[in-house]
Amino acid sequence: MTTPIYELALMGDPTDDQAAAVVKEIEQALTAFGLRLGFDVGLNIRPRTFAPSNRTSAAAAFFGSEVASAMDVTALLSRVMPVLPVVSSLTRVRAELPAQLWPINSLEYGAAGARRVASALLECAGLLPRQRRIFLSYRRDEARQAALQLFDALSARLFDVFLDTHAIAPAEDFQSALWHRLCDADVLLMLDTPTYFESRWTSAEFARALAKGVAILRVEWPDMTPSIRTATTSRAELLATEIDASTGHLAVSAIERICTQVEAARSEGIAVRHVNMVGRIRNEIEMIGGRLQGVGPHKAVYLQLPDGRDVVAYPTIGVPTSVTLHDATTHAGDNPPAVVYDHVGLLPSWVKHIDWLGEHVKTARWVKACEAGWQFADWT
């Protein structure tokens, strides 16, 4: 049996009608990406345990009830995987959910509940169109046609694809804009042609993707001897028969195979970056005597400060925006929100923009990941 690329679960005590309605909504949403529920995306209904690999993008909804309130979710929360608590009414949180889930914002099922649960699960697994970002790294004189083909094929699967000849306006600082887009990518798709590492720029793209923790899928050209630098990357191998020597075009079968492998690399990449970011926040808060309570809808991280106050942190993987700030403010409820981000590699003008937002919009605070403990230690 093939291992799913993404993993979802409906835990707790969903009714048959609720489970069927959520399945229908998820199936419809996945069609746009060319993904199949039960094959590319696993959906476990009422599993006794749910423990997908930490290298697989995953999320769970927990349907509450009086029976479900007695369930132990300690192991589930310890995986720092997003868990979406679902209740029949927001007045029933303590009656229907295990105590470990009380601090996490719950979703009231009600009207349109299936669609809301499905949307929240897909968002946590990184399966909304706005979340899918790929960076194409290649030598123009060796793989231009292949890059253009992959740009078209991945765009058709609703990826936002960065291709240097298409994505940077003439007046922009080309190199700074390129690094900025690399920081926002889920996967660096490396077309590993014979002179890839002889270029200062493609060599730096590869190294900086590693430095940022961006997943790398290396498409290996025929008869290549891989650089030792690529030892930890995922690999897609091309056959000599899959490249038209006269035009540089790739065979359709090769394009399809690479697109599927991009999806797998992406799932692993966003899962690992999420775990690393949440782990970093956990270390910072525990260092000052606080604790992490769980990860909930919108991948919000629920923290308790040393003095007992609650804070909700929204870790940003990639480039934070004013929309990130708006979403954090909207979703945080009564708890003060913080947007935690990694500033390394962002455009200087973008960092200034974030600083300006921090000075003038006080509904949420911006926190650099490397300073999280320092800032949470004096949270006002």
Side-chain angles (χ1 to χ4, degrees), residues 10 14-24 43 45-46 63 109:
L10 305 183
T15 66
D16 290 343
D17 286 347
Q18 287 173 330
V22 173
V23 167
K24 182 179 179 182
L43 179 59
I45 299 176
R46 303 188 197 92
F63 284 74
Y109 193 78

Side-chain angles (χ1 to χ4, degrees), residues 289-310:
R291 70 185 183 97
L292 185 151
Q293 302 181 94
V295 181
H298 314 291
K299 291 191 173 180
V301 180
Y302 289 76
L303 305 172
Q304 189 171 68
L305 299 176
D307 61 7
R309 287 180 296 157
D310 293 329

Side-chain angles (χ1 to χ4, degrees), residues 187-210:
V187 178
L188 179 134
L189 180 55
M190 167 197 186
L191 305 190
D192 192 10
T193 49
T195 67
Y196 181 89
F197 282 112
E198 293 177 16
S199 161
R200 170 191 170 187
W201 300 115
T202 48
S203 180
E205 288 167 10
F206 177 86
R208 287 191 165 174
L210 287 177

Side-chain angles (χ1 to χ4, degrees), residues 107-131:
L107 187 152
E108 186 177 78
Y109 193 78
R115 179 165 298 180
R116 295 171 64 200
V117 171
S119 178
L121 278 173
L122 293 170
E123 180 191 15
C124 287
L127 285 168
L128 295 184
R130 61 181 166 81
Q131 297 175 300

Side-chain angles (χ1 to χ4, degrees), residues 216-292:
I216 297 175
L217 177 63
R218 182 174 67 86
V219 180
E220 183 178 304
W221 250 238
D223 302 322
M224 278 281 301
T225 300
S227 165
I228 194 170
R229 295 172 61 183
T230 64
T232 61
T233 63
S234 301
R235 180 172 72 105
E237 187 177 3
L238 277 179
L239 303 175
T241 55
E242 292 178 317
I243 304 178
D244 185 321
S246 61
T247 64
H249 282 97
L250 304 185
V252 172
S253 59
I255 294 288
E256 290 294 317
R257 190 173 68 248
I258 293 168
C259 287
T260 300
Q261 289 185 257
V262 164
E263 198 79 64
R266 176 178 182 271
S267 172
E268 179 175 336
I270 59 179
V272 170
R273 291 177 85 185
H274 168 75
V275 168
N276 289 344
M277 177 65 99
V278 175
R280 198 169 179 181
I281 294 171
R282 188 212 299 261
N283 291 340
E284 293 279 333
I285 197 71
E286 289 180 350
M287 191 183 302
I288 62 171
R291 70 185 183 97
L292 185 151

